[in-house]
Amino acid sequence: MQTSYTLGVDFGTNSVRAIVAGCADGRLLGTSVFEYPSGDRGVLLDARDPHLARQNPADYIAGLRASIAGALADADRQPGFSRERVIGIGVDTTGSTPLPVDARARPLALDAAWAGNLAAQAWLWKDHSSAAEAAEITALARAHAPEYLAPIGGTYSSEWFWSKIWRCLRVAPDVFDAAASWVEFADFVPAVLSGVDDSRQIVRSICAAGHKGMYSETWGGLPSKAFLARLDPRMAGLRDRLFDNAWPAGRPAGRLSTEWAGTLGLTPGIAIAMGALDAHYGAVGSGIRTGTLVKIIGTSTCDCAIAPAANTIADIPGICGIVNGSIIPGYYGLEAGQSAVGDLLKWWVEEVCEGDDGLHARLSAEAARMAPGESGLVALDWNNGNRTVLVDARLTGLVLGQTLRTTRAEIYRALIEATAFGARAIVERICDYGVPVDRVVCCGGIAEKNDLFMQIYADVIGQPMLIAGSPQAPALGAALSAAVTAGSAAGGYDDWTEAQDRMTAVEQKRFTPDPRAQAVYNDLYAIYRELHDGFGGVPGSAPVFGSLMKRLLAIREQAAAARS
Amino acid sequence: MQTSYTLGVDFGTNSVRAIVAGCADGRLLGTSVFEYPSGDRGVLLDARDPHLARQNPADYIAGLRASIAGALADADRQPGFSRERVIGIGVDTTGSTPLPVDARARPLALDAAWAGNLAAQAWLWKDHSSAAEAAEITALARAHAPEYLAPIGGTYSSEWFWSKIWRCLRVAPDVFDAAASWVEFADFVPAVLSGVDDSRQIVRSICAAGHKGMYSETWGGLPSKAFLARLDPRMAGLRDRLFDNAWPAGRPAGRLSTEWAGTLGLTPGIAIAMGALDAHYGAVGSGIRTGTLVKIIGTSTCDCAIAPAANTIADIPGICGIVNGSIIPGYYGLEAGQSAVGDLLKWWVEEVCEGDDGLHARLSAEAARMAPGESGLVALDWNNGNRTVLVDARLTGLVLGQTLRTTRAEIYRALIEATAFGARAIVERICDYGVPVDRVVCCGGIAEKNDLFMQIYADVIGQPMLIAGSPQAPALGAALSAAVTAGSAAGGYDDWTEAQDRMTAVEQKRFTPDPRAQAVYNDLYAIYRELHDGFGGVPGSAPVFGSLMKRLLAIREQAAAARS
């Protein structure tokens, strides 16, 4: 078989990265990054509203062109590479990041009439200006359509599709009225590459629609007009202009247009894979399979697992999304997450300790010399709320067990441990509902660089912690999806598992649980869970807080005794 | 009436200060400080035991001589002052700080045979090496003599008399056997000035004996031999070599010896007042009276109140000591305290933020710009355990409500507020048992320097906060006690109230509660109390932790709304 190649394009919050991957082995032949030129590192802000975060769709198109061109130019220098052997393009993006488009599928923001209007731009995932709308949607769904909430953990988020569109209707009705349709960023880019010029022709992915848009075949696709009319009659009217069907990966989102093929020096008509949310193609690029939990660890985390769709799966309380085919066709895709991981350590180091990367390194080194339990501390990782399993943005942080000798490094370690306890709570919840986890594959800079972090996770979760072989797992997953979409006849694959076996890997370095540390962490986790359930308001929890500080002190003393 | 003067000598942890005060108006005519030369700023440490803290009695004697000589030399420069008009000397010290003495009332440590032995030195108040003995004494008293625990809050401390002596018996039986008696630091110094040369002649104060030595007339003085025999038969044997009676202030502890009179250039035979613990004479020097709570605020705090002895007073759970005559004759003296106040802020600034006095000032300034409740934080002030009202050294700190934007200054303010909540818990407990508090007088550097701290206390406690007029309140109280001991015939006073009215004052500056701040703090205090009772293990407390974070967020949002 002649070697063939696919492109993976990963749109992040501040930049877009394109890679060229070999279909035979996932080898990286070229890569290129494009920083969004608009706003504050690509994010349009509004001094009057700290919750607002938008992006200029022109950045997406410029970045698409530049990053692919750069990656191809890079690959051109590799012996044997040929642009003619590029058989497909896959794309992943942030999300939910919806943008309003006109009837020709062109972003309103590209029209001079709307260019200066923040509501006409892309509403970035971390835009939280629609908190009120999210709360109202949740309340209305609880009252009138609880089935909509079951697969998304019981709460509709201000980060998601309908909250943002409804917010637009309220604050910028002119934009709302001018929009022929709204499209997720992940669906927008494949449509651009395919040359779609009719908003009704945009192919929608089940990934974004199912996890963020309340789409399910169970109730016939999008939420009913009757439900949307409870929000606003104009929202019900919009439903007709959106879409009826959404599709899993594997089916082509389109074929490369002649125009883009010419621009990029590629073959017209090659496969354009379905777009997906970055975490989901990150899971694919990390080798997700039954029994493997993939953690994409950054400022926050996204945790992904899959379970065969042949077996029905119960709704799992607190798991943000369970969507058939959202990660790999034929499997339920499960999505969970922690609201602050890297951000929690960054907060401690930069905001409280007023330090920099050097301090991160110093605190990590100090923390690595401590034994589990020795600090006498336990913390809750809720400085940014709890996404899973409590699904409650209105939770806050807690640090417990300080003495007059407690150090900043001890608190730093306690915060890492808190995120590991939060991760264990997710693993336990998934396992409790019959989705097995027997290894954890991590990707992201923290996983690659911070051995202390990874060892604590192994000791707390009690499972081996592995690192994804590619530091660009989302882009690799997108490229892999393109290879499957192209199919074996074109030089790709027909089978996802085969494609993953060939194109993905894990690092040699792995972190295995230390039984002694595990035993201490089991005791600390019991305390974490009492705090978690007590402060999280879990119904029926009967915590006995009066014993907690003493139990922590006992653990601390045992740890000190074990050391001496 | 010709002006007369008294000396007040205040023995602290690192130094001793003497003052010369005018009896007519408490005016300061001279002052002098002597730093103890031995060990680490006067404290003898042991690298093998971080809980050990001893002092060299030779430092006490050298410091007594030098500080009085210095204060008198200072006063000599004041017009009209004459050493012949000095009518008495009062002394206060740290405590419980017992030291072993020989039959001639001379510290064992001054004997070359014992000079190098740490157990033969003074056992400084903050020596915690006898934690096990304290726990055993508490357990034995609970089982066999619960009456001993009732007036001291239910728990015997490792900082106190019997714990330390028993510890000495266990770890240095040779020292124990060589000691003819043990004497509290506060009783030792008056005996030195009086030229006592027989250990059985040392006059003991009710202040140290009652608060630290389980002494009460109710059960005939010291604990019974039967009880002490449960500790060790040799402890029962020691009882005969200690003392039968202890006395309130007002009665002379002795008369100035000819030798010391010659050394100091004073009149032989002038009154030596009863020695007292520093906080108690600090309360006297701050103008304590019915309805006034005196807070001596330093690394920790000592809170003092008095109640007429004519009325019987109930044991107040959690109040460390209720002793008839321990502060002023004719009144019960009540002692309470917080284990960490200045130390808590010092921990945050120096240990966690790694800053200095400049950072204290910066954080205070930033914190002063915040409105109550605005940070969304609440903390427990238990980094060094809780002395009152829970009496539990094995409690630790807690900070609750952090977000990713929480600053070090917000936490600094939350820690100040936590100590204010702890102070309010003490005030409420005292008031609940019929001892009124209608104003609070503070002394110590924090009270004098930190307006934010004082205003927060006023707003939290809901009472005016005043500052003692003298920055040397304990020394002034000792001098005042000497004036009463000398009596009106000698140019002093016969009545404590009259002496206080004349010799003590409060600063003009006072801090009164702001009703708006008070309202917010009432809500925050309710949360503090739920955490306090829940984590403190108060029997019957039924905290609902599930609501706490939300209530804090609501308070924060109200505070932000009120500001805008």
Side-chain angles (χ1 to χ4, degrees):
Chain A
M1 169 174 123
Q2 201 180 352
T3 306
S4 47
Y5 308 96
T6 51
L7 278 154
V9 192
D10 169 41
F11 286 85
T13 300
N14 307 113
S15 62
V16 49
R17 173 188 295 275
I19 66 165
V20 179
C23 294
D25 53 8
R27 188 164 67 95
L28 190 72
L29 283 95
T31 184
S32 179
V33 175
F34 176 88
E35 310 275 345
Y36 304 141
S38 302
D40 177 15
R41 300 183 64 218
V43 183
L44 308 175
L45 304 173
D46 184 346
R48 292 162 302 179
D49 181 358
H51 303 293
L52 186 149
R54 308 280 155 83
Q55 293 195 310
N56 182 353
D59 288 357
Y60 299 161
I61 295 170
L64 178 66
R65 185 182 297 112
S67 65
I68 292 180
L72 288 170
D74 203 13
D76 284 338
R77 290 191 287 273
Q78 298 288 328
F81 173 76
S82 159
R83 295 190 186 209
E84 290 173 10
R85 292 297 309 145
V86 173
I87 62 171
I89 306 177
V91 172
D92 69 86
T93 71
T94 68
S96 171
T97 302
L99 56 155
V101 293
D102 64 20
R104 295 180 52 235
R106 184 179 156 87
L108 284 192
L110 301 188
D111 184 329
W114 301 107
N117 192 320
L118 280 171
Q121 315 295 318
W123 292 51
L124 187 60
W125 67 276
K126 67 179 179 179
D127 187 307
H128 288 110
S129 56
S130 47
E133 289 74 16
E136 289 177 62
I137 291 172
T138 300
L140 286 168
R142 277 194 190 141
H144 304 289
E147 66 276 17
Y148 294 169
L149 298 177
I152 55 171
T155 305
Y156 198 76
S157 167
S158 64
E159 292 188 1
W160 295 349
F161 193 72
W162 294 107
S163 303
K164 285 168 169 169
I165 296 173
W166 191 11
R167 179 77 185 168
C168 178
L169 167 55
R170 284 180 166 171
V171 299
D174 51 345
V175 172
F176 181 88
D177 289 339
S181 186
W182 287 73
V183 56
E184 278 284 355
F185 188 5
D187 297 328
F188 168 70
V189 181
V192 168
L193 288 170
S194 307
V196 170
D197 60 0
D198 179 340
S199 64
R200 290 165 302 183
Q201 303 295 321
I202 299 170
V203 179
R204 312 289 182 140
S205 82
I206 188 76
C207 174
H211 285 285
K212 314 296 182 189
M214 282 182 165
Y215 175 97
S216 174
E217 290 170 8
T218 313
W219 51 81
L222 291 175
S224 71
K225 288 182 85 157
F227 178 77
L228 293 173
R230 292 184 186 276
L231 278 50
D232 191 297
R234 288 168 291 179
M235 292 293 282
L238 173 67
R239 189 183 189 280
D240 294 331
R241 313 201 300 274
L242 293 172
F243 56 94
D244 294 320
N245 293 300
W247 312 95
R251 179 191 191 283
R255 298 281 164 191
L256 187 65
S257 72
T258 307
E259 187 185 345
W260 274 90
T263 300
L264 299 172
L266 295 174
T267 312
I270 61 172
I272 306 299
M274 296 297 303
L277 300 175
D278 42 15
H280 293 219
Y281 274 160
V284 170
S286 300
I288 196 166
R289 63 196 63 188
T290 304
T292 293
L293 180 79
V294 174
K295 291 183 77 71
I296 293 97
I297 304 173
T299 54
S300 59
T301 70
C302 186
D303 298 359
C304 295
I306 59 174
N311 313 325
T312 46
I313 188 169
D315 296 324
I316 306 181
I319 299 298
C320 308
I322 302 175
V323 176
N324 191 344
S326 68
I327 299 177
I328 290 180
Y331 294 84
Y332 285 104
L334 280 72
E335 186 188 318
Q338 293 175 263
S339 309
V341 176
D343 266 357
L344 191 64
L345 304 181
K346 180 182 160 79
W347 163 72
W348 183 249
V349 170
E350 298 182 12
E351 188 69 48
V352 179
C353 296
E354 295 187 357
D356 54 12
D357 285 349
L359 186 61
H360 267 289
R362 194 195 104 191
L363 296 183
S364 279
E366 282 183 47
R369 290 194 289 272
M370 298 167 195
E374 202 173 27
S375 70
L377 299 173
V378 69
L380 288 174
D381 51 324
W382 298 349
N383 287 41
N384 198 25
N386 177 294
R387 196 179 295 162
T388 312
V389 297
L390 297 169
V391 199
D392 188 346
R394 285 179 68 78
L395 293 173
T396 54
L398 181 150
V399 179
L400 175 71
Q402 301 93 324
T403 71
L404 292 174
R405 285 162 296 283
T406 297
T407 67
R408 45 167 60 180
E410 287 175 326
I411 295 174
Y412 182 82
R413 182 175 174 122
L415 294 174
I416 295 176
E417 291 168 347
T419 67
F421 295 142
R424 176 165 165 178
I426 293 172
V427 170
E428 287 187 351
R429 178 61 56 90
I430 292 174
C431 291
D432 284 350
Y433 282 78
V435 178
V437 174
D438 52 36
R439 64 173 201 166
V440 179
V441 178
C442 298
C443 62
I446 292 175
E448 288 156 22
K449 290 176 201 157
N450 194 324
D451 287 0
L452 169 67
F453 183 100
M454 293 293 282
Q455 186 60 50
I456 288 173
Y457 270 57
D459 293 338
V460 167
I461 298 175
Q463 296 285 358
M465 298 290 289
L466 290 76
I467 301 169
S470 170
Q472 276 88 46
L476 179 61
L480 189 154
S481 179
V484 177
T485 305
S488 62
Y493 297 94
D494 295 327
D495 180 75
W496 287 88
T497 304
E498 187 189 355
Q500 284 190 304
D501 287 346
R502 295 283 190 87
M503 293 182 71
T504 74
V506 292
E507 295 279 353
Q508 285 282 328
K509 183 161 73 172
R510 59 161 59 199
F511 299 83
T512 52
D514 168 57
R516 278 180 56 181
Q518 246 187 296
V520 176
Y521 279 132
N522 283 340
D523 290 343
L524 285 172
Y525 180 69
I527 291 175
Y528 174 90
R529 274 315 291 242
E530 287 186 38
L531 292 168
H532 175 283
D533 292 0
F535 282 98
V538 172
S541 67
V544 187
F545 288 104
S547 71
L548 288 190
M549 289 174 180
K550 267 104 176 164
R551 282 156 55 195
L552 266 181
L553 290 173
I555 290 169
R556 184 177 76 180
E557 286 153 6
Q558 285 158 14
R563 174 183 285 277
S564 63
Chain B
M1 169 175 118
Q2 200 181 351
T3 306
S4 47
Y5 309 95
T6 50
L7 280 153
V9 193
D10 169 41
F11 286 86
T13 299
N14 307 113
S15 63
V16 49
R17 172 188 297 273
I19 67 164
V20 178
C23 293
D25 54 6
R27 187 165 66 95
L28 189 71
L29 284 95
T31 184
S32 179
V33 174
F34 175 86
E35 310 275 345
Y36 304 140
S38 302
D40 177 15
R41 302 182 64 218
V43 182
L44 308 175
L45 303 173
D46 183 346
R48 291 162 303 179
D49 181 359
H51 302 294
L52 186 148
R54 307 280 155 83
Q55 292 195 311
N56 181 354
D59 288 357
Y60 298 161
I61 294 171
L64 178 66
R65 184 181 296 115
S67 65
I68 291 180
L72 288 170
D74 204 13
D76 284 338
R77 291 190 286 272
Q78 299 288 326
F81 174 76
S82 158
R83 294 191 187 209
E84 290 174 10
R85 292 300 308 147
V86 174
I87 61 171
I89 306 176
V91 173
D92 69 86
T93 70
T94 68
S96 172
T97 302
L99 56 154
V101 294
D102 64 19
R104 295 179 54 233
R106 186 180 154 86
L108 284 192
L110 301 188
D111 183 331
W114 301 108
N117 192 320
L118 280 171
Q121 314 296 319
W123 291 53
L124 187 61
W125 66 276
K126 68 178 180 179
D127 186 307
H128 289 110
S129 57
S130 47
E133 288 74 17
E136 289 177 61
I137 291 171
T138 300
L140 287 168
R142 278 193 189 142
H144 303 290
E147 66 276 18
Y148 294 169
L149 298 177
I152 55 171
T155 305
Y156 198 75
S157 167
S158 65
E159 293 188 1
W160 296 350
F161 193 72
W162 294 108
S163 303
K164 285 169 168 167
I165 296 174
W166 190 12
R167 179 76 183 170
C168 177
L169 168 56
R170 283 181 166 170
V171 299
D174 51 346
V175 172
F176 181 88
D177 290 339
S181 187
W182 287 73
V183 56
E184 278 284 354
F185 188 6
D187 297 328
F188 169 70
V189 181
V192 167
L193 288 170
S194 308
V196 169
D197 60 359
D198 178 339
S199 65
R200 288 165 304 184
Q201 303 293 324
I202 299 171
V203 178
R204 312 288 182 140
S205 82
I206 189 76
C207 175
H211 285 286
K212 314 298 182 188
M214 281 181 166
Y215 174 97
S216 173
E217 290 171 8
T218 312
W219 51 82
L222 291 174
S224 70
K225 289 183 83 159
F227 178 76
L228 293 173
R230 292 184 185 277
L231 278 51
D232 190 297
R234 288 168 291 179
M235 294 292 283
L238 174 66
R239 189 184 190 279
D240 294 330
R241 312 201 302 274
L242 293 172
F243 56 94
D244 294 320
N245 293 300
W247 310 96
R251 178 191 192 280
R255 298 283 164 191
L256 187 65
S257 72
T258 308
E259 187 185 343
W260 274 91
T263 300
L264 300 173
L266 295 175
T267 311
I270 60 171
I272 306 299
M274 295 297 303
L277 300 175
D278 41 17
H280 292 218
Y281 274 160
V284 170
S286 300
I288 195 166
R289 64 196 61 188
T290 305
T292 293
L293 181 78
V294 174
K295 293 183 75 72
I296 293 98
I297 305 174
T299 54
S300 59
T301 71
C302 186
D303 298 0
C304 295
I306 60 173
N311 313 326
T312 45
I313 188 168
D315 295 323
I316 306 181
I319 299 299
C320 308
I322 303 175
V323 176
N324 191 343
S326 68
I327 298 177
I328 290 180
Y331 294 85
Y332 285 104
L334 281 71
E335 185 188 319
Q338 293 176 262
S339 308
V341 176
D343 266 357
L344 191 64
L345 305 180
K346 182 181 159 78
W347 163 73
W348 183 250
V349 170
E350 297 181 14
E351 188 69 48
V352 178
C353 296
E354 296 187 355
D356 54 13
D357 285 349
L359 186 61
H360 267 289
R362 195 196 103 192
L363 295 183
S364 280
E366 282 182 47
R369 290 194 289 273
M370 298 168 194
E374 202 174 25
S375 70
L377 299 174
V378 69
L380 288 174
D381 51 324
W382 298 350
N383 286 42
N384 198 24
N386 177 293
R387 196 179 295 163
T388 312
V389 295
L390 296 168
V391 199
D392 188 345
R394 286 178 69 77
L395 292 172
T396 54
L398 180 150
V399 180
L400 176 70
Q402 300 92 324
T403 72
L404 292 174
R405 284 163 296 284
T406 297
T407 67
R408 44 167 62 183
E410 287 176 325
I411 295 175
Y412 182 82
R413 183 176 173 119
L415 294 174
I416 294 176
E417 291 169 346
T419 68
F421 295 142
R424 175 165 166 178
I426 292 172
V427 170
E428 288 188 350
R429 178 60 57 90
I430 291 174
C431 291
D432 284 349
Y433 282 78
V435 179
V437 174
D438 52 37
R439 64 172 200 167
V440 179
V441 178
C442 299
C443 62
I446 292 175
E448 290 156 21
K449 290 176 201 157
N450 194 325
D451 287 0
L452 170 68
F453 183 99
M454 293 294 282
Q455 187 60 51
I456 288 173
Y457 271 57
D459 294 337
V460 167
I461 298 174
Q463 297 286 359
M465 297 289 289
L466 291 76
I467 302 169
S470 169
Q472 277 88 45
L476 180 61
L480 190 154
S481 179
V484 177
T485 305
S488 63
Y493 297 95
D494 295 327
D495 181 76
W496 286 88
T497 304
E498 187 190 355
Q500 285 191 306
D501 287 345
R502 296 284 190 86
M503 293 182 70
T504 74
V506 293
E507 295 278 355
Q508 286 281 329
K509 183 160 74 171
R510 58 162 59 202
F511 299 83
T512 51
D514 168 58
R516 277 180 58 183
Q518 246 187 298
V520 177
Y521 280 131
N522 283 340
D523 290 344
L524 284 172
Y525 181 69
I527 291 175
Y528 174 88
R529 275 315 291 243
E530 288 187 38
L531 293 168
H532 175 282
D533 292 359
F535 283 98
V538 172
S541 67
V544 187
F545 288 104
S547 70
L548 288 190
M549 288 173 179
K550 265 100 175 168
R551 282 155 56 195
L552 266 181
L553 290 172
I555 290 169
R556 185 177 76 181
E557 286 153 7
Q558 285 158 14
R563 174 183 285 276
S564 65

